[in-house]
Each structure stands twice: as C-alpha cells, then as structure tokens.
Amino acid sequence: LLPFLKSRKTLKKLNLACNHLDNGASGMLAAVLDNTCVEELNISRNSFSARGVNRILSSKNSRHLITLDVFDSCSMSERFELAEILGKFLGRGDISLKQLTFGCTRIDSRYVYGIDPDIMVIQSLRTNTTVENLVLPHLPCYHIRSISDKLTVAVTSLVCNTSSFEELCQSNHTLRKVSTISANPDPRE
C-alpha cells in the first residue's frame, strides 16, 4: 500500500480511521506525507503513541493539512504528551490547518483530570491564525459539571478574553465554530 500511496502525488484526502495502525505505520505515513500534499488526514481511532503522531505531524508536507482528525488516536496515558505535540504543531507559522478534531472518549469520572490535555490544546490555539473549526468529543461524562465548566471557560477565554482590553485584542479572532462529535460515530463515512 505504501508504494501506491507514495506514487499518488495528487492525493488530497486520506482517511485511515479505525485501521488498528500503530507506531510502525506512523513512519510509513510520514513518508507518504513527505511525498504528497494531503489536505485532509484522518488518523482517528488507531493505536499510535504520541511519538507516532509527532512523527506524522513532523513530516515535510504536514503544513499542507487543512483538516486533521486525531480523535482517540493515542492511549489515555499519553494524552498530555499528545497535547504538547498538537500545541507545537498549532504554533507553527507555516501550517494551513482550518479544522482540528481531537479528544478522547476514554475519559470517565474516575479520571477527573482527563479533560486537562484538551484544555492545553484549546489554549495553544490562542496564537494560531488558521484554525476556524474545532471539534471536541461529546462524551457521556460531560454531564459532570466541573468538566463542562472547564471546557467552557477554556473556549470562552480563547475567543473572548475580557479580563483586560489587551487580552481582548489578543484573543483568537480566527476560530469560528466549536462543535462536538459523537463518541461513537463511524469515521469512515
């Protein structure tokens, strides 16, 4: 499959969701991205480590990505590392990303800080000038008030920080839409 994908220089959309891909595949996928200008990449619901996702986002042509879906792409134990990687990617001045779908459905009430990596990614959008659409998971546990409140505060302070006039001016004025994705969608549709 790799030689086939590498030979498709005009490949624009690549949906690899739910394929049980792991770090071995991340190196191959990075090689594909080095040779093509994929604009839409869905690697959700696979078994990459944060290091594997980093390898993909560090590929030569990752800057051409317009849509990126990394929903449930890492284990729960690596979510902070993944949030740092996404934050660095979003902070790059050469990216074209317009839509980011991320998060994890494996959060439950026992893991009360499970949403903190998501907040880290939201906060990294503060200086990003390309992302217009942010898609977060809609989780059954979001009924837990503290988690919902934390997300609301993070997004609100990102797009309209009214703590001072300077903060208001420096708020993200690119983000247009924040939506949720069902915890059990069929990403192949």
Side-chain angles (χ1 to χ4, degrees):
L1 184 60
L2 179 62
F4 173 78
L5 291 174
K6 283 173 110 176
S7 70
R8 299 298 183 249
K9 303 287 185 204
T10 59
L11 184 65
K12 297 294 181 193
K13 185 174 183 176
L14 186 55
N15 186 341
L16 297 172
C18 300
N19 277 294
H20 307 288
L21 300 176
D22 59 14
N23 282 347
S26 69
M28 291 183 269
L29 181 54
V32 168
L33 292 177
D34 280 341
N35 290 301
T36 62
C37 291
V38 171
E39 294 177 352
E40 294 182 36
L41 179 62
N42 185 340
I43 56 171
S44 65
R45 296 189 172 161
N46 281 295
S47 300
F48 296 114
S49 70
R51 193 178 81 243
V53 173
N54 188 47
R55 187 177 300 133
I56 293 165
L57 295 181
S58 297
S59 66
K60 181 173 68 174
N61 290 323
S62 63
R63 69 183 183 277
H64 296 292
L65 291 172
I66 294 173
T67 302
L68 175 63
D69 188 336
V70 293
F71 183 70
D72 268 352
S73 60
C74 276
S75 68
M76 183 63 109
S77 63
E78 295 194 28
R79 290 189 63 240
F80 279 101
E81 189 177 350
L82 178 63
E84 288 177 14
I85 289 164
L86 286 173
K88 287 178 186 173
F89 179 71
L90 292 168
R92 287 176 37 187
D94 67 339
I95 65 170
S96 305
L97 196 67
K98 299 279 185 207
Q99 178 173 311
L100 174 63
T101 302
F102 73 96
C104 184
T105 58
R106 292 174 226 132
I107 299 170
D108 62 30
S109 57
R110 294 169 301 181
Y111 192 73
V112 107
Y113 298 106
I115 207 68
D116 287 346
D118 295 348
I119 291 173
M120 287 171 59
V121 174
I122 290 168
Q123 290 170 340
S124 71
L125 285 169
R126 185 169 193 262
T127 58
N128 178 279
T129 59
T130 62
V131 175
E132 297 174 356
N133 189 10
L134 178 63
V135 185
L136 301 166
H138 175 73
L139 305 174
C141 72
Y142 272 28
H143 71 276
I144 300 171
R145 189 82 184 152
S146 64
I147 291 176
S148 179
D149 288 349
K150 284 174 118 179
L151 274 175
T152 301
V153 167
V155 172
T156 302
S157 66
L158 169 71
V159 297
C160 188
N161 186 341
T162 58
S163 62
S164 72
F165 183 71
E166 183 177 339
E167 288 294 326
L168 179 63
C169 292
Q170 292 177 359
S171 295
N172 180 307
H173 297 288
T174 309
L175 191 64
R176 305 268 184 264
K177 181 178 180 185
V178 178
S179 56
T180 59
I181 186 172
S182 171
N184 295 313
D186 184 351
R188 293 169 286 202
E189 292 181 356

